[in-house]
Amino acid sequence: MPMRFFSFLRSPAAETPGPLMSTLDAERIAAMMQAFGEFGVSIQRASEALARLADLRLITFPEGAMEASLAYLLEHLTPGQRDTFERHRFFLVQGKRYRWRITPNAYGVNRLGRSGRRRGVYCAVPQEPVPIFDVMLAQKLMLESDEDAFLLIANRAPNRRFIDHPEL
Amino acid sequence: MSKLCILDKTGHTEAASWQSADAASTVVAQQTFDRLKSEGFSAFETAQGQTVGVMDRFNPDADEILFVSPLSGG
């Protein structure tokens, strides 16, 4: 698969890390806080989420880590998952009870209903920072082997109308 | 050849490899497994794209073992 397919994920190693305010101005932060409010997220939780986002932007990975993690993820997908991922940038996982869609976005784990529509939006990530494709692999491993534990651990967006914000 | 890998900042790192018929390499892999478990990592057995399951104990017949730092709500 050509890497340009994932060009939206620029290698953090090639960027100079900086404070959150250098890339997200006050206006955008205000808009994000308003969006959080519309989803029913409290100011405190929204602030915590933005702080984690700032932390993420300060994390740098060694050169080539993103590409290595992508290759490793592809190695660990079934042929069907790989095909879906290459076409849509997400893949589907069958847990014990539910079907899931794993995407490379914030709150990127979606629980799907029988019709395939999104019924819940979740997020759980490894405590040690790893490239995004490793995060997706960790989520897949957890959902396929211990869905109940994932549900206990993960934060769930309180409103089904949660809108994907890949730029976050 | 089976291998034991850790998801980390570099993408992943191979921490051990072993053959079940080779006692020496198996012991080293088991020790690595025990050390990582004691450090709080979660272990998953995988085989050819399929997740076999969570591991509490080392399985010398596993194809691959993946270690991940514990997940927490994001």
Side-chain angles (χ1 to χ4, degrees), chain A residues 98-133:
Chain A
Y98 302 116
R99 202 154 66 103
W100 301 83
R101 180 171 59 204
I102 298 180
T103 75
N105 298 330
Y107 273 87
V109 182
N110 306 156
R111 182 168 64 78
L112 304 177
R114 286 182 184 170
S115 65
R117 294 188 66 179
R118 190 168 52 192
R119 293 294 180 215
V121 179
Y122 297 79
C123 188
V125 296
Q127 289 172 10
E128 295 292 323
V130 293
I132 183 65
F133 301 111

Side-chain angles (χ1 to χ4, degrees), chain A residues 72-88:
Chain A
Y72 202 56
L73 171 65
L74 291 173
E75 236 180 78
H76 289 83
L77 296 180
T78 64
Q81 288 172 333
R82 198 177 307 132
D83 182 55
T84 306
F85 186 58
E86 288 174 356
R87 285 191 287 134
H88 303 294

Side-chain angles (χ1 to χ4, degrees), chain A:
Chain A
M1 179 183 2
M3 276 305 295
R4 68 174 180 278
F5 185 74
F6 291 99
S7 59
F8 72 101
L9 286 168
R10 288 172 295 162
S11 171
E15 298 175 359
T16 305
L20 181 65
M21 285 299 285
S22 69
T23 48
L24 298 174
D25 58 27
E27 199 173 292
R28 284 190 70 195
I29 289 178
M32 287 158 63
M33 293 295 278
Q34 186 182 347
F36 275 122
E38 286 172 7
F39 300 144
V41 179
S42 71
I43 295 294
Q44 185 185 342
R45 283 183 68 94
S47 302
E48 288 168 3
L50 286 174
R52 282 197 295 274
L53 188 64
D55 287 344
L56 283 174
R57 284 187 172 268
L58 293 172
I59 293 167
T60 56
F61 297 107
E63 193 147 3
M66 198 66 78
E67 290 80 1
S69 72
L70 172 59
Y72 202 56
L73 171 65
L74 291 173
E75 236 180 78
H76 289 83
L77 296 180
T78 64
Q81 288 172 333
R82 198 177 307 132
D83 182 55
T84 306
F85 186 58
E86 288 174 356
R87 285 191 287 134
H88 303 294
R89 294 199 307 223
F90 64 77
F91 55 86
L92 301 172
V93 163
Q94 182 62 55
K96 191 171 69 178
R97 280 182 292 167
Y98 302 116
R99 202 154 66 103
W100 301 83
R101 180 171 59 204
I102 298 180
T103 75
N105 298 330
Y107 273 87
V109 182
N110 306 156
R111 182 168 64 78
L112 304 177
R114 286 182 184 170
S115 65
R117 294 188 66 179
R118 190 168 52 192
R119 293 294 180 215
V121 179
Y122 297 79
C123 188
V125 296
Q127 289 172 10
E128 295 292 323
V130 293
I132 183 65
F133 301 111
D134 279 358
V135 172
M136 295 171 77
L137 176 54
Q139 291 165 340
K140 164 189 151 79
L141 292 169
M142 193 75 182
L143 284 168
E144 288 181 337
S145 58
D146 198 348
E147 186 181 65
D148 291 339
F150 180 89
L151 285 166
L152 281 175
I153 293 165
N155 279 336
R156 180 180 179 182
N159 193 318
R160 277 193 214 157
R161 291 187 299 113
F162 189 95
I163 301 164
D164 290 329
H165 287 290
E167 72 276 16
L168 298 183

